[in-house]
Amino acid sequence: MQNFQNLLDKALKLHKDNEIKKALKIYLELLNDQKDNSKLLYLIGTAYIQINKYELAIEFLKKNILIDKNNLAAYNNLGGALQELNKFEDAIKIYNKLFQLDPNHLQAQNNIANCFTKLKKFDAAIKIYKNLIKNNPNDYVVYNNLGNAYKEMNHDEDAIYNYNKSIKLKSDYFIAYKNLGDIHKKRNRYKESLNLYNLVNKIKPGYKDIVSNIIQMKMAICEWSDYENYI
């Protein structure tokens, strides 16, 4: 038992230090001796999410929930893994179970709305977002997500309004800047878009496809004063 705990502590430290694969190897070895250990099942499922192996994550998180039916974090992570696989209807079912366990779980409500947006059920998504904002007017993430719903509906002005609200609440929220830049790009406002993409790259260097977007905008307006920084 002592050896088990020592190995688990070692794996937890590796996990905390972002040595996910090394931690996962130990978790799986420990699971051979304790196949119904709900903590191990949860940790393994979470680790698989972190290395983008979502099918395996779903398998282990479902096993965890069968044993620990009140593990809110497991439900939330399971829903997230299903979202990553574009299984939005299944994710909504999981988030609803989480919401039943904890009606005050704001992240579950936000995630349900995000799934509705992906399913193009915009009215349902917007209703949830607005209710969340009513209860927490300072939630910059929800404002950003509401902007995403409006963007998908091609309601650009509403999207811009909500992205700006998000940025006003958190001035370094690079995701909202990126989304705002995308709106300006779509509307051929290349200078505005470039300024926003540059700001994203300053806050979060190399975020997603930000460098390629910067290059595209520079090409559009023929602005190459610092070209060497992007090659």
Side-chain angles (χ1 to χ4, degrees):
M1 186 64 183
Q2 184 63 39
N3 187 49
F4 176 92
Q5 190 59 50
N6 289 339
L7 285 171
L8 180 58
D9 289 343
K10 179 181 178 180
L12 289 170
K13 185 177 187 308
L14 287 167
H15 203 156
K16 183 179 179 182
D17 293 340
N18 209 34
E19 297 278 358
I20 308 300
K21 291 183 178 180
K22 291 180 180 179
L24 185 56
K25 182 180 179 182
I26 297 174
Y27 293 149
L28 289 167
E29 289 172 356
L30 292 174
L31 192 67
N32 287 328
D33 295 326
Q34 297 193 21
K35 295 187 182 300
D36 293 327
N37 187 306
S38 62
K39 182 175 183 179
L40 281 174
L41 292 168
Y42 170 73
L43 289 168
I44 291 167
T46 302
Y48 274 130
I49 287 177
Q50 291 173 291
I51 59 173
N52 303 325
K53 293 191 175 182
Y54 301 113
E55 294 285 4
L56 286 169
I58 290 166
E59 176 187 339
F60 282 93
L61 290 169
K62 282 183 175 179
K63 288 179 180 179
N64 168 269
I65 289 169
L66 285 174
I67 299 168
D68 186 358
K69 299 183 186 301
N70 295 314
N71 187 343
L72 303 183
Y75 282 103
N76 192 61
N77 290 352
L78 176 56
L82 289 164
Q83 277 186 265
E84 291 291 343
L85 295 176
N86 296 327
K87 297 181 178 181
F88 301 114
E89 296 281 7
D90 291 337
I92 288 171
K93 291 176 184 176
I94 295 299
Y95 290 132
N96 276 327
K97 289 180 182 179
L98 172 54
F99 186 55
Q100 290 169 10
L101 290 170
D102 181 5
N104 295 315
H105 201 293
L106 301 181
Q107 189 176 0
Q109 297 175 59
N110 184 55
N111 287 334
I112 290 170
N114 291 343
C115 290
F116 279 137
T117 296
K118 292 293 186 180
L119 292 167
K120 300 190 182 304
K121 297 181 178 181
F122 300 118
D123 289 343
I126 289 169
K127 182 178 179 180
I128 295 172
Y129 290 138
K130 287 187 173 180
N131 187 59
L132 287 168
I133 288 169
K134 181 180 178 181
N135 292 319
N136 184 6
N138 295 318
D139 194 327
Y140 60 91
V141 173
V142 176
Y143 273 111
N144 176 73
N145 292 342
L146 178 55
N148 288 339
Y150 281 125
K151 182 174 73 171
E152 291 297 315
M153 297 170 70
N154 292 316
H155 292 188
D156 289 354
E157 293 301 329
D158 290 323
I160 289 169
Y161 172 82
N162 283 283
Y163 291 143
N164 280 324
K165 288 284 290 186
S166 176
I167 290 164
K168 185 176 180 180
L169 288 166
K170 186 170 175 59
S171 61
D172 63 348
Y173 190 46
F174 57 91
I175 295 174
Y177 285 113
K178 168 65 166 56
N179 290 332
L180 192 54
D182 290 344
I183 289 276
H184 286 304
K185 177 183 176 182
K186 185 180 81 169
R187 303 176 95 181
N188 299 327
R189 297 175 178 173
Y190 300 131
K191 286 186 178 180
E192 292 92 335
S193 183
L194 176 60
N195 289 337
L196 288 160
Y197 289 152
N198 278 328
L199 189 53
V200 172
N201 201 42
K202 182 178 179 181
I203 298 169
K204 187 76 171 178
Y207 174 68
K208 288 189 175 179
D209 55 353
I210 198 64
V211 172
S212 64
N213 275 299
I214 289 171
I215 291 172
Q216 287 176 26
M217 294 305 95
K218 284 180 171 289
M219 290 176 66
I221 62 175
C222 299
E223 200 282 285
W224 293 108
S225 60
D226 56 349
Y227 174 77
E228 68 277 2
N229 292 331
Y230 300 98
I231 58 175

